[in-house]
Amino acid sequence: ARARSVGVFGAAVLNRLSKYTAEEIFHVGAGLAMLGFKPPRTLQADSPREGSRGGPTTVGALIERRSIKIMHYLSPKAIADAGFVAARLVAPGDMSAEWLKLFAYVSKQQLTTMPPEGVIYAGYALARHNFKPSNTWRKRYMEAVYECAKSLAGEEFPMVLYTLAKWQQQQQPAAEDDDDLGQQQWSSSSSGAFVTSSSGPAPSQALIDDLLLASHTSRALRQLPLSQLVVMLKALPELGCNVNPLWMQRVWPVVNAQIDAAAAAEDAASSGGSSSSSKALSSSLAALITAIPGLNP
């Protein structure tokens, strides 16, 4: 009943989205994302301005058209909400490189003052849309994460590790900005959050250690579903870091319990003719099997 109510409410909001200002779109969109609303991939545009001759458009395209020309004037709260909406409400690939570059440029100045969740979602939004921000942006992001690691919770841990691993694995050059000029020779971070090589800044072992310890002490490991635990385990070998054996001793019993619970749910679902849980479990197990050889406690 709640899911249906959220769906009806979300659809009503989407029908009015083109009438909102950019700040209103980001604030309302963040609220819908927090409720768990999943918008359709395409929307029917209200006018030729919002789509091709009034035809279908996407949530990302609509948000982009309403905000790209005024991004520099948006409040810090709206910029933080923009990251949250791009991460949670917009389908991957539905934000242009131009919008993502502008969002990175504007948000870069605010990373040190954003609340922890704002920092996490800003990075995750860029990684999810396959955008690798500038070296300076990534350094500030890692420094901000290093400072707030102990205050993170729940899904923020897999999101951070996914983000860092995605940038590490991306082969294309990072976006450049003026702050990057003349800074390529840095060998390390004064805060210890990152190290720099010829390929750019990468998370330090100290940053990874702090994130893993915080995921344990915050009890996040016991709160996360199997799919998000697998995201963490898959990201660690991709980052090329050492994994503390004590953390591995904490995470494996949780993973095993989650697999047992998922298998039991699959048996119950198969008796009812459903295959969705089976596909989810198979996907998680396949990713886990791929990750195990690279884990190096």
Side-chain angles (χ1 to χ4, degrees):
R2 181 182 182 277
R4 184 177 182 280
S5 298
V6 169
V8 171
F9 174 70
V13 171
L14 289 183
N15 287 336
R16 296 185 55 82
L17 208 59
S18 62
K19 298 177 174 61
Y20 296 154
T21 66
E23 288 213 8
E24 289 171 339
I25 286 177
F26 291 136
H27 294 337
V28 171
L32 289 177
M34 290 180 69
L35 290 172
F37 176 67
K38 302 294 183 184
R41 182 67 185 269
T42 59
L43 307 171
Q44 189 66 28
D46 291 339
S47 70
R49 290 187 308 151
E50 301 298 347
S52 177
R53 299 184 179 181
T57 186
T58 65
V59 173
L62 179 55
I63 289 173
E64 184 170 325
R65 284 191 291 270
R66 300 291 287 175
S67 63
I68 196 165
K69 292 182 178 180
I70 62 169
M71 187 84 76
H72 288 285
Y73 299 95
L74 295 180
S75 68
K77 174 66 166 64
I79 294 299
D81 284 344
F84 187 75
V85 169
R88 295 286 294 271
L89 209 63
V90 180
D94 281 357
M95 304 303 295
S96 72
E98 181 185 8
W99 188 93
L100 293 167
K101 184 176 182 179
L102 182 59
F103 170 75
Y105 180 83
V106 175
S107 64
K108 180 182 67 178
Q109 306 302 326
Q110 302 176 15
L111 286 174
T112 56
T113 58
M114 277 185 183
E117 62 271 18
V119 173
I120 303 312
Y121 276 103
Y124 180 68
L126 295 173
R128 184 169 180 263
H129 290 280
N130 205 35
F131 183 86
K132 189 175 185 178
S134 70
N135 290 341
T136 302
W137 201 101
R138 295 186 343 264
K139 290 171 186 175
R140 293 188 183 181
Y141 171 82
M142 285 183 267
E143 287 174 339
V145 172
Y146 190 66
E147 291 297 320
C148 71
K150 293 180 181 179
S151 63
L152 300 184
E155 66 175 4
E156 292 167 355
F157 291 104
M159 288 168 60
V160 170
L161 292 174
Y162 168 88
T163 298
L164 294 172
K166 181 68 176 288
W167 292 335
Q168 191 112 324
Q169 296 297 308
Q170 282 179 304
Q171 297 300 315
Q172 71 265 36
E176 293 184 1
D177 60 28
D178 292 340
D179 288 349
D180 285 336
L181 301 178
Q183 298 187 26
Q184 303 302 325
Q185 302 304 314
W186 289 13
S187 60
S188 65
S189 162
S190 59
S191 68
F194 63 83
V195 294
T196 302
S197 65
S198 59
S199 59
S204 67
Q205 184 66 50
L207 173 56
I208 301 301
D209 288 344
D210 280 4
L211 286 169
L212 296 184
L213 177 60
S215 71
H216 165 62
T217 57
S218 68
R219 299 185 180 277
L221 293 180
R222 297 190 175 278
Q223 299 166 358
L224 293 171
L226 177 61
S227 60
Q228 293 188 355
L229 291 171
V230 170
V231 167
M232 296 179 70
L233 291 167
K234 183 174 181 293
L236 291 170
E238 291 176 350
L239 286 166
C241 60
N242 294 318
V243 183
N244 190 307
L246 293 176
W247 185 83
M248 295 296 293
Q249 291 173 17
R250 301 298 187 278
V251 75
W252 280 126
V254 179
V255 169
N256 290 334
Q258 292 272 16
I259 292 174
D260 289 343
E266 178 184 336
D267 291 340
S270 62
S271 63
S274 173
S275 61
S276 59
S277 61
S278 176
K279 292 179 180 178
L281 179 58
S282 297
S283 176
S284 293
L285 290 176
L288 189 60
I289 291 170
T290 301
I292 287 174
L295 292 169
N296 181 31

